[in-house]
C-alpha cells in the first residue's frame, strides 16, 4: 500500500449533493429511540442496536466486564445453544456482528430482506435480546480466550503504546481503565449477568434500521424488537475527564520501530468546538498526504510510513492524538519534528488557502461517506446513539462551511493545550 | 433451496444490475470495464497493471511495490505531491496496492470528478519522472513500511518465511514488500526501468464502478487514455515449481506470548472455469471448515476440545501462480503446537474418511448465495472483485459461472478433493515460537517519566 487508508473521521457527515439522507425517527412505546433510513435498491436489511454498555461502565477492579458481556451475549439464547444459534443464522445467510468500545456495545444483524429470510433472522435477534443464556462453561472458556489474547497483545509494541496512552490521558476517569490479567481473573459469571441486567435494557439503547422497508413495516419491526427489552434507567455518567499536566512516558521494547502517541482529552460528541477542530485537524494531520504532519515527517524526511492526527469525540471528552511509527533510533528526532509542526499550527492556525482546501475536501467528499447501506447504518447509528439532532446530516455542510480560521485557532488553543500534552513512546532509543 | 433463494432476489434486483458490467477495448489495447451502480452519486476509478512481485527477479525484490510509491512523485505536468492534492481538492480519496500478481491504483470521488481522475491516471501511465531526489526519502518510507508490517509483526514474519520455504523456484517465494537487503540496494534507475518495461496501456485495464453511464465512460477513456501508445511487452514465462517430496518444517522466533501454527498444503487454482473441478470443491471445503463461528474448526477445536484460541482455514481459488490451502491457529493455554497440529490432522482425517454432511453443504451454499447479494452493497468491493479476477487471468464474465459451479459441488467432491490435496509430501509447516521479553536490556519496563 502506498499508505494506510486515511483514518476515518469518526463523525464526518455532511449533506448529500443530491437529495440528502432522510433519517426518519420516532420512539417505540417503551421509549427506545429509532432511526430509519429507507434504502430500496438492494434486498438487504441492516439492523443495529446500541446499548450504553461500553467499558466506561466497567465496575471498579473488574475492567473487561463490558467487553466480556458483549462477547458472550450472542453465544446461545433461549432453547438454542451457541452452535444451534450460529447454525440457524448461517442457514439463513444472516450475519451477526458488533462489539464493545468505551461508550457502547453494539449488536447488528445483516440479513436478506425477503420475508422468508428476514422474519426468522429477526426472531433470532429478538431471542438474543430477550433471553441470552450466559452458560457458565462458555463464560469460563471465553474469559480464558480473552486472557490469552490480552497477554499476547501485551507483548506487541502497538498495543502497549495504545494502553499506556489511554491510561496516561485518563488517570482518574474510566476511559483510562483497561482490562489486565488480574481484572479479568476477578470477573465472575455473576458480574457479567449483573452488567447485562443493568445495561442491556431499553433505557439508553437505540435502534437503527437501513433497508427496503416501508415506514409502517419499520415501525412494526422496531416495536417487536424493543418489546423484547426490559425498561431500564439509562446509566449515570462519571464526572467529565480533566486534562492533566505535560507528561512523557517511555517504555522499553525490542521492536525495530518506536511507536509514538501524543495527545490529550479534547472534545465530546455534539460540542460546538468539534467543527472548527475537525476543519483544522484536516490541515494539521487528518488530511493524509496534504496534511502538514505527513509533509514534514514522511514526504520531506522519510521518517514514517504513516503519521496522522485524529479526533475521537466520545460521550465524554475523547482524545485528540498524533501517532506515528519510526525506526527506533530516530524516535526523538521525529518527536521534535512533530512538536514543532504542532506548535506552529497552534501559533498560526491554518492559512487562508489551507482553510479553503480543508473545507473543499470535507464538503466535497461527503457523498463518499454515505454511498452504501453499511456506511448509512454506521452514520445513522452514531447520530442516534449520541443523541445528535436527526437533521445533523442536513445542517452539517453549513456547520462546516461557516467555520473561520479564527475559530479554528481559538478552538485549538482552548482544547489542544501543549501544557497538558501527554507523550507516550514505546521502543524509542 | 437454491430456487427459493434466487427467485425473489432476482426480482428485487433491477434489470440494470443484471445487465452489468460492460467492457470495451481501446485501440492501444487498454481494456475498460464499467459497472453501473447508481445508488449514490459517487464513482470508483481503478487502474490495474498486470505486473506484481511475481515478475521480479532475485536481488530486485520489492521493485513493483517501490514503483507504486514513486507513482505519486510526479510527472512533468503534475509535480510531486500534486496528484494527492488534486484528488483531495476534488473531494476524493486515493490509494494504491501492490500484490504478487498486480499493481493497482484507485480513486473514490464524487461522480463529476471522474474525468479529472482519468486525466491524472493517464498522465502517470506514460509520463512518470522517477526523480532520484524523490526516490531516496521514499525508499526510507518503504523500509519503515517493512519494519511496521513485517519485521515487528510476528505473524507476517512467519508467513514471509513460510513462502520462502514452500516455494523454491517460483517467484511467490519472495515477499511483495521486498527483502531489506534488496531495498537497501535499490536505485531510482531500477524503478525507472521497471516503469518503462511494464507501464503501458496494453498491460493495464480500467475498472469503473458507480453512478455513471457506460458509453460516456468509454468515450472519456478514449479521450484520456486513447492517445497513449502501446508497446510490446517482454515475454513472460510461467515458472513451474518442482514437485515437493516430503514435509518441510520451519520455526520463526519472535517476541510474542502465543505460538502460531500454519500448515500449508499445495493446492490447485482455477485455470479453466469449465474443465477444472478441484478449486470449486476446495472453496466449499473452506466454508465447511471455517465458514462461520460454529463451522467445524470453531465448533470442535475452539469450543468443544478447546485446543485452540483461534483456528481458521484459508484458500484462494484464483491467482497467476500456484496455490495453497492453509490451516492456521494458536493453541489454547496449556495446549502445545503439537496438540493443535494433531487436532487439525484429525479434522482433515474426518473429512477424508467420513466426508461431509448434506446439512453442511446446504448451509455453505446458503451463505455463499447471501454473500453474493451482500457484496453488491460496496462499490469499492465490486470494483475489487472485477479487478482481482482479471488479474488472475480470468474474466469478470466468469464470475457468475464460478459461483454456479461452486453451488453444484457435491459432498462426494469435497471428500475426494480432501483425499487428494492433504498429503504430507506437499505440506509446509511453520511455527512461531514465542520469545519472552525478559532480557533486562530489552524488556518493556515500567514507564519512566522524563
Amino acid at each position: 500500500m502506498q499508505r494506510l487508508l486515511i483514518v476515518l473521521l469518526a463523525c464526518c457527515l455532511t449533506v448529500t449533493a443530491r437529495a440528502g439522507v432522510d433519517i426518519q425517527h420516532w420512539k417505540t412505546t417503551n421509549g427506545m429511540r429509532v432511526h430509519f433510513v429507507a434504502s430500496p435498491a438492494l434486498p438487504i436489511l441492516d439492523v443495529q442496536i446500541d446499548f450504553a454498555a461500553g467499558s466506561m461502565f466497567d465496575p471498579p477492579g473488574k475492567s473487561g466486564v463490558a467487553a466480556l458481556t458483549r462477547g458472550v451475549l450472542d453465544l446461545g439464547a433461549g432453547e438454542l445453544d451457541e452452535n444451534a444459534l450460529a447454525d440457524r443464522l448461517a442457514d439463513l445467510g444472516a450475519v451477526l456482528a458488533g462489539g464493545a468500545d468505551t461508550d457502547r456495545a453494539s449488536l447488528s444483524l445483516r440479513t436478506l430482506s425477503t420475508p422468508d429470510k428476514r422474519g426468522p433472522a429477526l426472531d433470532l435477534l429478538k431471542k438474543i435480546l430477550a433471553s441470552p443464556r450466559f452458560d457458565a462453561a462458555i463464560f469460563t472458556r471465553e474469559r480464558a480466550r480473552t486472557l490469552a489474547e490480552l497477554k499476547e497483545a501485551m507483548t506487541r509494541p502497538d498495543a502497549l503504546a495504545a494502553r499506556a496512552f489511554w491510561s496516561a490521558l485518563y488517570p482518574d476517569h474510566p476511559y483510562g481503565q483497561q482490562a489486565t490479567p488480574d481484572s479479568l481473573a476477578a470477573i465472575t459469571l455473576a458480574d457479567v449477568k449483573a452488567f447485562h441486567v443493568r445495561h442491556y435494557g431499553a433505557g439508553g439503547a437505540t435502534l437503527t434500521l437501513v433497508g427496503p422497508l416501508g415506514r409502517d413495516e419499520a415501525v412494526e419491526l422496531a416495536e417487536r424488537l424493543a418489546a423484547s427489552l426490559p425498561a431500564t434507567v439509562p446509566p449515570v455518567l462519571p464526572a467529565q475527564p480533566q486534562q492533566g499536566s505535560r507528561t512523557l512516558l517511555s517504555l522499553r521494547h525490542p521492536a525495530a520501530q518506536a511507536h509514538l502517541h501524543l495527545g490529550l482529552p479534547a472534545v465530546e460528541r455534539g460540542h460546538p468546538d468539534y467543527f472548527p477542530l475537525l476543519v483544522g485537524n484536516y490541515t494539521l494531520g487528518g488530511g493524509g498526504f496534504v496534511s502538514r504532519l505527513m509533509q514534514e515527517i514522511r514526504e520531506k524526511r522519510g521518517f514514517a510510513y504513516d503519521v496522522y492526527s485524529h479526533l475521537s469525540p466520545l460521550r465524554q471528552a475523547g482524545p485528540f492524538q498524533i501517532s506515528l511509527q519510526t525506526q527506533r533510533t530516530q524516535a526523538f528526532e521525529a518527536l521534535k519534528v512533530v512538536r514543532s509542526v504542532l506548535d506552529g499550527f497552534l501559533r498560526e492556525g491554518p492559512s487562508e488557502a489551507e482553510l479553503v482546501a480543508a473545507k473543499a475536501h470535507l464538503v466535497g467528499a461527503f457523498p463518499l461517506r454515505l454511498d452504501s447501506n453499511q456506511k448509512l447504518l454506521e452514520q445513522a447509528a452514531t447520530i442516534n446513539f449520541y443523541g445528535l439532532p436527526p437533521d445533523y446530516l442536513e445542517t452539517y455542510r453549513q456547520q462546516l462551511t461557516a467555520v473561520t480560521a479564527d475559530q479554528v485557532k481559538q478552538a485549538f488553543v482552548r482544547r489542544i493545550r501543549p501544557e497538558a500534552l501527554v507523550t507516550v513512546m514505546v521502543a524509542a532509543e | 433451496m437454491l430456487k427459493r433463494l434466487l427467485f425473489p432476489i432476482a426480482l428485487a434486483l433491477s434489470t440494470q444490475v443484471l445487465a452489468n458490467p460492460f467492457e470495451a477495448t481501446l485501440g492501444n489495447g487498454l481494456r475498460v470495464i464499467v459497472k453501473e451502480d447508481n445508488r449514490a452519486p459517487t464513482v470508483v476509478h481503478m487502474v490495474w497493471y498486470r505486473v506484481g512481485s511475481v515478475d521480479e527477479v532475485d536481488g530486485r525484490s520489492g521493485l513493483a511495490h517501490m514503483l507504486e510509491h514513486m507513482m505519486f512523485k510526479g510527472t512533468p505536468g503534475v509535480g510531486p505531491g500534486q496528484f494527492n492534492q488534486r484528488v483531495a481538492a476534488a473531494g476524493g480519496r486515493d490509494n494504491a496496492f501492490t500484490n504478487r500478481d498486480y499493481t493497482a491504483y484507485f480513486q473514490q470521488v464524487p461522480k463529476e470528478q471522474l474525468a479529472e481522475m482519468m486525466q491524472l491516471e493517464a498522465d502517470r501511465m506514460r509520463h512518470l519522472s522517477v526523480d532520484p531526489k524523490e526516490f531516496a526519502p521514499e525508499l526510507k518510507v518503504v523500509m519503515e513500511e517493512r519494519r511496521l508490517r513485517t519485521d515487528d509483526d510476528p505473524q507476517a514474519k512467519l508467513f514471509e518465511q513460510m513462502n520462502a520455504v514452500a516455494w523454491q523456484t517460483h517467484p511467490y517465494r519472495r515477499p511483495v514488500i521486498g527483502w531489506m537487503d534488496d531495498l537497501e540496494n535499490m536505485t531510482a534507475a531500477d524503478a525507472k526501468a521497471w516503469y518503462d518495461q511494464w507501464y503501458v496501456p496494453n498491460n493495464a485495464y480500467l475498472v469503473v464502478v458507480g453512478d455513471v453511464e457506460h458509453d460516456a465512460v468509454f468515450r472519456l477513456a478514449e479521450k484520456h487514455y486513447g492517445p497513449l501508445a502501446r508497446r510490446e511487452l517482454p515475454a513472460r514465462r510461467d515458472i513451474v515449481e518442482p514437485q515437493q517430496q516430503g514435509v518441510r518444517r520451519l520455526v520463526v522466533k519472535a517476541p510474542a506470548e502465543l505460538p502460531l501454527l500454519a500448515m500449508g498444503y499445495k493446492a490447485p487454482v482455477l485455470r479453466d472455469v469449465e474443465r477444472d473441478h478441484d478449486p470449486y470443491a476446495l472453496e466449499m471445503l473452506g466454508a465447511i471448515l471455517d465458514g462461520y463461528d460454529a463451522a467445524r474448526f470453531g465448533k470442535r477445536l475452539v469450543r468443544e476440545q478447546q485446543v485452540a484460541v483461534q483456528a481458521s482455514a484459508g484458500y484462494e481459488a484464483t491467482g497467476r501462480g500456484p496455490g495453497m490451502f492453509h490451516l492456521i491457529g494458536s493453541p489454547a493455554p496449556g495446549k502445545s503446537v503439537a496438540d493443535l497440529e494433531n487436532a487439525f490432522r484429525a479434522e482433515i482425517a474426518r473429512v477424508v474418511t467420513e466426508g461431509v454432511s448434506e446439512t453442511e453443504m446446504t448451509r455453505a451454499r446458503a451463505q455463499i448465495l447471501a454473500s453474493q447479494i451482500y457484496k453488491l452493497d460496496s462499490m469499492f468491493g465490486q470494483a475489487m472483485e472485477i479487478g482481482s479476477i482479471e488479474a488472475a487471468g480470468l474474466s469478470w464474465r466468469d464470475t457468475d459461472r464460478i459461483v454456479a459451479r461452486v453451488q453444484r459441488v457435491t459432498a462426494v467432491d469435497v471428500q475426494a478433493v480432501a483425499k487428494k490435496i492433504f498429503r504430507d509430501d506437499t505440506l509446509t509447516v511453520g511455527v512461531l515460537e514465542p520469545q519472552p521479553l525478559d532480557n533486562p536490556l530489552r524488556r518493556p519496563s515500567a514507564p519512566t517519566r522524563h
Side-chain angles (χ1 to χ4, degrees), chain B residues 28 33 45 73 78 98 102 138 144 262 272 289 295 326:
Chain B
N28 58 15
I33 304 161
H45 174 236
K73 295 299 178 179
V78 180
T98 306
Y102 56 79
E138 199 59 29
E144 293 294 350
D272 185 317
L289 294 177
H326 283 104

Side-chain angles (χ1 to χ4, degrees), chain B residues 158-159 162 249 259-263 310 327-331 336-342 344 429-432:
Chain B
L158 177 66
F159 280 100
M162 255 191 97
R249 291 182 178 269
L260 186 70
L261 167 69
M263 301 170 70
Q310 51 94 10
L327 314 178
I328 302 160
S330 282
S336 67
V337 167
D339 293 336
L340 180 55
E341 182 176 335
N342 287 336
F344 273 139
V429 183
V431 174
L432 169 71

Side-chain angles (χ1 to χ4, degrees), chain B residues 146-344:
Chain B
R146 189 188 149 85
R147 288 182 189 105
L148 179 69
R149 293 189 159 173
T150 304
D151 297 340
D152 282 347
D153 182 338
Q155 187 163 341
K157 239 177 167 169
L158 177 66
F159 280 100
E160 182 176 89
Q161 290 296 316
M162 255 191 97
N163 283 329
V165 169
W167 310 113
Q168 296 187 332
T169 68
H170 194 276
Y172 277 2
R173 74 184 188 280
R174 287 186 291 264
V176 174
I177 187 92
W179 301 112
M180 191 60 102
D181 181 58
D182 287 353
L183 295 178
E184 280 161 359
N185 288 287
M186 194 180 286
T187 66
D190 295 331
K192 182 71 166 73
W194 185 264
Y195 178 73
D196 288 339
Q197 185 162 17
W198 299 114
Y199 280 64
V200 289
N202 45 309
N203 194 38
Y205 50 95
L206 304 191
V207 180
V208 176
V209 177
D211 189 8
V212 293
E213 194 276 308
H214 63 279
D215 276 327
V217 176
F218 293 153
R219 283 194 299 275
L220 266 186
E222 179 60 45
K223 177 180 167 192
H224 293 289
Y225 293 96
L228 304 176
R230 65 176 299 139
R231 190 146 34 77
E232 279 315 300
L233 291 162
R236 286 189 250 203
R237 186 166 74 84
D238 285 332
I239 291 167
V240 178
E241 175 75 18
Q243 182 67 37
Q244 179 179 339
Q245 287 162 328
V247 61
R248 296 176 189 161
R249 291 182 178 269
L250 69 132
V251 172
V252 172
K253 295 182 178 180
E257 173 75 19
L258 288 175
L260 186 70
L261 167 69
M263 301 170 70
Y265 294 87
K266 303 257 167 84
V269 295
L270 194 55
R271 299 279 178 240
D272 185 317
V273 175
E274 296 306 329
R275 285 189 192 159
D276 291 347
H277 300 284
D278 291 345
Y280 304 120
L282 288 170
E283 284 278 346
M284 285 301 275
L285 177 59
I288 284 166
L289 294 177
D290 181 33
Y292 68 110
D293 287 348
R296 287 192 176 198
F297 281 0
K299 183 180 173 199
R300 295 175 56 87
L301 304 185
V302 177
R303 292 177 170 181
E304 287 175 8
Q305 300 168 22
Q306 301 188 21
V307 65
V309 173
Q310 51 94 10
S312 63
Y315 167 69
E316 260 193 71
T318 59
R320 275 170 61 186
M324 198 171 258
F325 196 105
H326 283 104
L327 314 178
I328 302 160
S330 282
K335 302 288 182 179
S336 67
V337 167
D339 293 336
L340 180 55
E341 182 176 335
N342 287 336
F344 273 139

Side-chain angles (χ1 to χ4, degrees), chain B residues 37-62:
Chain B
D37 182 338
N38 60 12
R39 291 174 302 143
T42 63
V43 64
V44 185
H45 174 236
M46 288 183 165
V47 183
W48 292 68
Y49 293 92
R50 290 180 200 280
V51 63
S53 66
V54 70
D55 299 297
E56 293 164 354
V57 298
D58 277 348
R60 294 279 186 279
S61 65

Side-chain angles (χ1 to χ4, degrees), chain A residues 1-6 8 16-18 40-44 46 75 82-84 86-95 110-112 114 116-117 137 141-142 144-145 148-149 151-157 160 164 168 246-259 282 287 289-290 295 298-306 325-328 330 332 357 360-362 364-375, chain B residues 1 4-5 8-9 12-14 17 38-43 65 68-69 72-73 81 84-85 87-98 106 108-112 134 137-138 140-141 143-145 147-149 151-155 211 255-259 292-295 299 302-304 306 308-310 333 359 362-363 366-367 369-370 373-379 432 437 440-450:
Chain A
M1 292 275 270
Q2 189 240 356
R3 65 174 140 123
L4 302 172
L5 293 172
I6 295 172
L8 288 177
T16 67
R18 246 179 201 184
L42 294 174
I44 301 172
D46 286 293
L75 299 180
E82 57 174 344
N83 295 321
D87 287 348
R88 298 268 181 106
L89 286 162
D91 286 338
L92 295 163
V95 182
R110 169 163 274 201
T111 175
L112 298 170
T114 47
D116 62 325
K117 302 294 173 195
R141 182 193 73 211
E142 290 306 306
R145 286 180 69 205
E149 281 158 9
K151 285 183 175 171
E152 172 62 28
M154 288 174 75
T155 67
R156 304 286 170 95
L160 289 169
R246 193 175 172 95
T247 312
L248 190 149
L249 305 177
S250 187
L251 279 73
R252 278 187 284 179
H253 191 279
Q257 277 187 322
H259 290 244
Y282 179 85
F289 276 85
V290 300
Q295 284 300 315
R298 172 167 161 163
E299 296 300 280
K300 286 194 188 155
R301 293 174 179 83
F303 274 178
Y305 174 62
D306 192 30
Q325 306 84 31
T326 189
Q327 203 174 350
R328 54 189 294 138
Q330 65 199 15
F332 283 94
H361 175 82
L362 293 171
F366 152 73
L368 296 178
R369 302 185 180 280
L370 301 165
D371 63 3
S372 70
N373 288 5
Q374 185 61 46
K375 292 181 190 176
Chain B
M1 184 73 205
R4 235 176 55 219
L5 188 68
I9 288 164
L13 294 174
S14 69
V17 172
N38 60 12
R39 291 174 302 143
T42 63
V43 64
H65 172 253
E68 177 216 312
H69 277 241
F72 294 84
K73 295 299 178 179
N84 295 123
Q85 274 172 31
V87 175
R93 301 184 193 135
D94 67 318
N95 213 328
F97 43 92
T98 306
F106 70 85
Q108 295 167 279
V109 288
K111 63 174 179 171
E112 300 78 17
E134 298 288 337
E138 199 59 29
K140 287 197 203 166
V141 170
M143 291 177 187
E144 293 294 350
E145 187 179 353
R147 288 182 189 105
L148 179 69
R149 293 189 159 173
D151 297 340
D152 282 347
D153 182 338
Q155 187 163 341
D211 189 8
E257 173 75 19
L258 288 175
Y292 68 110
D293 287 348
K299 183 180 173 199
V302 177
R303 292 177 170 181
E304 287 175 8
Q306 301 188 21
V309 173
Q310 51 94 10
T359 309
T362 306
R363 186 171 292 145
Q367 287 184 281
L369 276 184
I373 301 298
Y374 298 154
K375 76 184 183 185
L376 296 175
D377 190 32
S378 163
M379 290 196 245
L432 169 71
L437 304 177
L441 291 174
R442 314 196 90 188
R443 175 179 56 201
S445 56
T448 50
R449 295 189 180 242
H450 299 259

